[in-house]
Amino acid sequence: MNAQEGAVGAMERIAKKIAPHSLSPNLKDYDKESRAFSWEGARGQLDGLPDGSLNIAYEAVDRHLLKGRADKVAIRWLSKSGSRKDITYGQLAEDTDRFARLLTNLGLNPGDRVFSMLGRVPELYIAALGTLKAGMVFSPLFSAFGPEPVKTRLIIGEAACLITSAPLYRRKIASIRNELPKLEHVLIIDPGEDELPEGLHGLPALLSQTEADFQTVATDPEDMALLHFTSGTTGTPKGAVHVHAAVIAHHVTGQYALDLHEDDIYWCTADPGWVTGMSYGIIAPLTNATTMIVNEAEFDVDQWYDVLEKERVSVWYTAPTAIRMLMKAGKERLEGRDLSHLRFMSSVGEPLNPEAVVWSDEAFGMPFHDNWWQTETGGIMIANYASMDVKPGSMGKPLPGIEAAIVDNRNGNVTVLEEPNEIGELALRTGWPSIMRAYLNNPEKFEKCFVGEWYLTGDLAVQDEDGYFWFVGRADDVIKSAGHLIGPFEVESSLIEHPGVAEAGVIGIPDERMGEVVKAYVTLNSGFQWSEELRKELIGFARKRLGPAVAPREIEVRNTLPKTRSGKIMRRLLKARELGLPEGDISTLESDES
Ligand code: AMP
């Protein structure tokens, strides 16, 4: 059995659904568009700056003013306390000009690194775009990081400036400040009445003395623009370097994979501390001139449904972990709601279980469209498109302009596996504009990602006879049992088809006879109690679907599974804890119970 058979099993494909009131999809004919596509052509959709310069913030903000969009709402911010603030493209241009001027007045120069550690507040969005306008490099950190992960990232990234809040500064920075000699300026968004200690600036006062006149720096397309940290299994986090040219990919993938149209009200639920929240929670929606929703609050089923309904969201981009929580809460929570303006839903970050796709089709009348990419790829690489049937459990097909293949990379040589449904490593032919240009100060790790013209993703996958890609697992997470390669995703997907199971995390544990055997950890839906009977029932249930070679031998219950802050189940941590091994880099771990 391979991932595809396991995933599709009883499920048919979901025929493309384009609601009668919907706009015609941007990507109407996948094959035709893929043949006609060129990255030069895509760049032509952007305005650029003189002499071949390109700046992300110019494309996201300034150019809209010349196109009569100054009064259009760019960001609709929903605060935790329930208030609402609209920022038009005109206002955003002014606020980001002022912020860029302020950085320059502080003596910072193009290329300097500006970090943020903020919740989803307007200052974060203004700082990101203002920094890019100033030709400086922006690096967003999750506000929930503790002092150690913050320190590591500020040091690796050689932060010259940090924008944060007074409580976050007190809790996470004050104690490490003297270990950060390169950090010259800290801007506090809410300084209060008391005088600030040396080296801290109150942002509101500084801004009130700063003119909103700034000419966006004419950056070279290859100038560094963004720094996103990604943590591996061991060692320190790697800083993936992205350049201004990435905006070309953000812009077109926003059109193709998210089907963004100018009149959309678009909501990306990701935090900008994660690459999705930057590429698709700031850049792509703005270059495409949509109105984007920023929701400051954390996940809550009814609040999320309120946002969808009251803000008349038309395109929604979220993650499997949230979708599974919505499933757990039940379809009834949607009863009586008017979501008629919603026309496209997509998901990223983790494998989207086929069960979740089918559920969403029943609950919302349209399926979630899964798409796949990584911090390193800078933008969406494989997706299910509005104009294509969805095969539940599949990641879809490569974006126009992207060549993806399943390869065998055993001896440092890459061989493309031509036969459909063979498991191999997912590889992408280099040459798209948003691929990382380096891991900061870590050339060895960077070079290891490439063989010849191929970028190796570290994910195992298969491609079926129709050209759809199916995720099998991270190469590190794949289980080798009695000569079979077992992807944790197919086992997890089959377990969550059981009505009692909300989430599942699957690992391999050493076994003398089999090499490894499959072990699963599950969380339960409300109304279900863990018992020996339920454990046996789940094992039987999985065996029926997957066969005895693939089904878990052991199942344990947990109240929660360890996850990253971006919502990915941390299988390697489940494994390390099971086997009593070192936990490695856990800086991205969301606090968990175990
Ligand atoms: P990150 O760089 O933190 O965004 O993580 C990228 C990794 O997340 C990928 O290499 C995959 O292992 C996983 N991932 C992201 N999107 C998907 C998806 N749609 N299906 C399966 N895995 C995914």
Side-chain angles (χ1 to χ4, degrees), residues 515-530:
E516 281 186 306
V517 290
V518 177
K519 173 157 188 179
Y521 299 84
V522 295
T523 65
L524 297 183
N525 279 321
S526 49
F528 285 82
Q529 284 286 328
W530 189 242

Side-chain angles (χ1 to χ4, degrees), residues 274 349-351 370-375 459 471 474 568:
W274 176 36
E350 268 207 302
D370 188 20
N371 58 55
W372 177 96
W373 60 292
Q374 304 177 307
T375 306
D459 282 356
F471 183 77
R474 283 296 296 163
K568 295 180 208 295

Side-chain angles (χ1 to χ4, degrees), residues 150-199:
V150 170
K151 187 174 92 185
T152 318
R153 285 159 177 78
L154 293 175
I155 290 175
I156 299 177
E158 297 177 25
C161 179
L162 171 71
I163 169 164
T164 187
S165 69
L168 287 171
Y169 182 84
R170 267 196 305 277
R171 289 210 308 271
K172 314 201 174 183
I173 308 289
S175 62
I176 56 167
R177 179 77 198 265
N178 57 7
E179 296 172 65
L180 304 165
K182 295 214 166 140
L183 184 62
E184 289 172 55
H185 305 286
V186 177
L187 307 177
I188 302 289
I189 63 166
D190 53 352
E193 302 290 293
D194 299 341
E195 207 177 307
L196 288 169
E198 168 101 21

Side-chain angles (χ1 to χ4, degrees), residues 95 150 169 187 272 285 304 342 376 381 387-388 417 424 490 531 583:
D95 290 346
V150 170
Y169 182 84
L187 307 177
W304 274 35
L342 192 60
E376 288 84 349
M381 296 284 109
S387 57
M388 258 170 41
L417 303 178
E490 62 172 315
S531 64
E583 294 192 347

Side-chain angles (χ1 to χ4, degrees), residues 43 46-55 59 217-223 244-245 247-248:
R43 183 170 176 177
L46 298 173
D47 289 2
L49 289 166
D51 304 322
S53 304
L54 189 64
N55 185 300
E59 304 302 330
V217 172
T219 37
D220 186 275
E222 287 302 309
D223 281 349
H244 281 273
V247 67
I248 305 166

Side-chain angles (χ1 to χ4, degrees), residues 3 54 74 105 135 260 318 345 347 364 374 495 505 564:
L54 189 64
N105 287 353
L260 293 179
T318 188
M345 313 197 299
S347 160
F364 295 92
Q374 304 177 307
L495 283 169
T564 63

